[in-house]
């Protein structure tokens, strides 16, 4: 533990409170809130809070500590809960950083799913080719950080199987997705290979409506809503973190549930 000096102009109590909010597990959160102070923060995160760090820098260190902790705890075999048809939320809510009438319109005839990076076969995929992949289905809960959640029914193909089919290097660290309107996400390879991670073409057994991401979204019931990209047009398998729309604005990178 090496705290040499407090950050000038920053109230240590407020900093600890902010840090507590970023903690993934309640026990640690409470420990921090329980007046343990900056020393406890260093103890818990192993972050060396040194002279000259800004408050933001400290919070960023804790956030990346969380990413690491969450990634270490993430189990490829632990499944998100599934639900019966009767539990489906109707109508399913729309969410994006714009209103529903501004959602991108993708032409199915000219659509190509572009593949790049650490992959043997980079051939772009047409929608018909994607629809011919073996179908998997899930009824799972989508959780949005804006304070709502909803149970939906999604059908598509297993992303893990697809990655193996195209000869992706599954030892690579990340998979990056780019969307029609410029939204994006980078996810960790363990989540990409998770058995419930789905390249989704249908909602409730019908083609994905425009609002829900036509022609393809990536559905990850182990991740928060903002990590589930809609209108996906390109994928890159990479060892470089390409960030994401909300991640770049400070949302937790791992975004696990
Ligand atoms: N391309 C794209 N994907 C996106 C978003 C977006 O704005 N653009 N918003 C994310 C957020 S914050 C949420 S909660 C879900 C909402 O998905 P839904 O409209 O199917 O409920 O999409 C996620 N994926
Ligand atoms: Mo969200």
């Amino acid at each position: 533990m090496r705290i040499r000096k407090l950050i000038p102009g920053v109230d240590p109590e407020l900093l600890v409170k902010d840090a507590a909010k970023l903690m993934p597990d309640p026990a640690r959160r409470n420990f921090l809130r329980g007046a343990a102070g900056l020393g406890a923060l260093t103890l818990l995160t192993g972050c060396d809070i040194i002279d000259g760090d800004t408050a933001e820098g400290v919070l960023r260190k804790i956030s990346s500590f969380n990413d690491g902790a969450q990634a270490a705890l993430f189990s490829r075999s632990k499944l998100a809960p599934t639900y019966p048809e009767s539990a489906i939320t109707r109508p399913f809510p729309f969410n994006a950083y714009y209103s529903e009438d501004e959602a991108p319109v993708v032409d199915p005839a000219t659509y190509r799913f572009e593949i790049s990076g650490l992959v043997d076969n980079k051939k772009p995929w047409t929608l018909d080719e994607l629809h011919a992949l073996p179908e998997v289905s899930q009824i799972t809960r989508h959780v949005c950080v804006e304070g709502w959640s909803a149970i939906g029914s999604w059908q598509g193909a297993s992303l893990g199987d697809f990655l193996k089919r195209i000869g992706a290097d599954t030892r690579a660290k990340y998979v990056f997705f780019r969307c029609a309107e410029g939204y994006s996400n980078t996810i960790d390879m363990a989540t990409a290979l998770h058995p419930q991670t789905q390249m989704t073409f249908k909602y409730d057994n019908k083609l994905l409506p425009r609002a829900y991401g036509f022609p393809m979204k990536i559905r990850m019931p182990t991740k928060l809503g903002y990590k589930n990209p809609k209108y996906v047009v390109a994928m890159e398998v990479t060892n470089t973190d390409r960030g994401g729309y909300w991640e770049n604005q400070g949302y937790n990178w791992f975004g696990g549930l």
Side-chain angles (χ1 to χ4, degrees):
M1 183 160 70
R2 276 183 294 156
I3 302 172
R4 280 179 275 180
K5 214 195 272 169
L6 294 183
I7 302 157
V10 173
D11 178 345
E13 264 178 43
L14 284 182
L15 180 60
V16 169
K17 268 198 198 129
D18 280 352
K21 277 190 229 137
L22 288 168
M23 281 289 163
D25 97 75
R28 279 191 241 158
R29 221 155 36 219
N30 288 336
F31 179 54
L32 264 187
R33 288 209 179 106
L38 271 179
L41 188 59
T42 312
L43 201 72
L44 284 173
T45 61
C47 292
D48 190 15
I49 298 164
I50 55 160
D51 235 6
D53 267 345
T54 60
E56 235 180 81
V58 170
L59 292 177
R60 206 174 304 121
K61 275 188 192 172
I62 293 156
S63 175
S64 55
F65 159 79
N66 281 346
D67 288 336
Q70 289 185 66
L73 292 170
F74 182 79
S75 164
R76 228 186 259 177
S77 51
K78 192 172 170 245
L79 297 180
T82 58
Y83 299 87
E85 297 237 355
S86 58
I88 295 172
T89 308
R90 298 183 197 278
F92 195 86
F94 166 85
N95 198 34
Y97 60 93
Y98 42 76
S99 66
E100 187 165 342
D101 51 300
E102 290 168 293
V105 181
V106 177
D107 178 0
T110 55
Y111 174 83
R112 297 290 181 274
F113 180 38
E114 284 163 31
I115 315 277
S116 65
L118 305 167
V119 173
D120 289 337
N121 189 349
K122 298 192 178 71
K123 169 193 100 68
W125 287 63
T126 67
L127 212 44
D128 285 345
E129 288 167 337
L130 290 171
H131 288 170
L133 292 166
E135 187 173 274
V136 290
S137 182
Q138 64 176 270
I139 299 174
T140 50
R141 185 184 293 278
H142 171 112
V143 180
C144 175
V145 288
E146 285 172 45
W148 58 273
S149 84
I151 293 169
S153 162
W154 290 279
Q155 291 73 39
S158 152
L159 178 66
D161 289 353
F162 183 76
L163 286 166
K164 285 164 204 152
R165 183 184 291 260
I166 62 174
D169 180 357
T170 54
R171 295 161 311 174
K173 284 195 198 150
Y174 308 111
V175 181
F176 169 73
F177 297 102
R178 192 165 51 76
C179 308
E181 88 284 43
Y183 196 86
S184 62
N185 282 125
T186 306
I187 63 164
D188 54 292
M189 183 59 81
T191 299
L193 298 175
H194 186 276
Q196 287 171 308
T197 297
Q198 189 188 91
M199 301 160 75
T200 301
F201 312 121
K202 290 180 182 168
Y203 183 82
D204 212 5
N205 294 296
K206 291 182 260 321
L207 272 188
L208 266 183
R210 175 178 160 212
Y212 303 158
F214 180 85
M216 174 166 70
K217 72 176 273 166
I218 307 296
R219 174 69 194 134
M220 298 169 239
T222 54
K223 287 235 189 274
L224 289 162
Y226 66 87
K227 293 294 295 187
N228 288 232
K230 306 191 283 185
Y231 325 104
V232 173
V233 295
M235 172 175 86
E236 180 188 356
V237 177
T238 171
N239 281 313
T240 309
D241 176 12
R242 303 254 182 258
Y245 182 85
W246 287 115
E247 294 82 337
N248 297 353
Q249 299 177 59
Y251 279 43
N252 180 257
W253 184 90
F254 195 79
L257 264 175

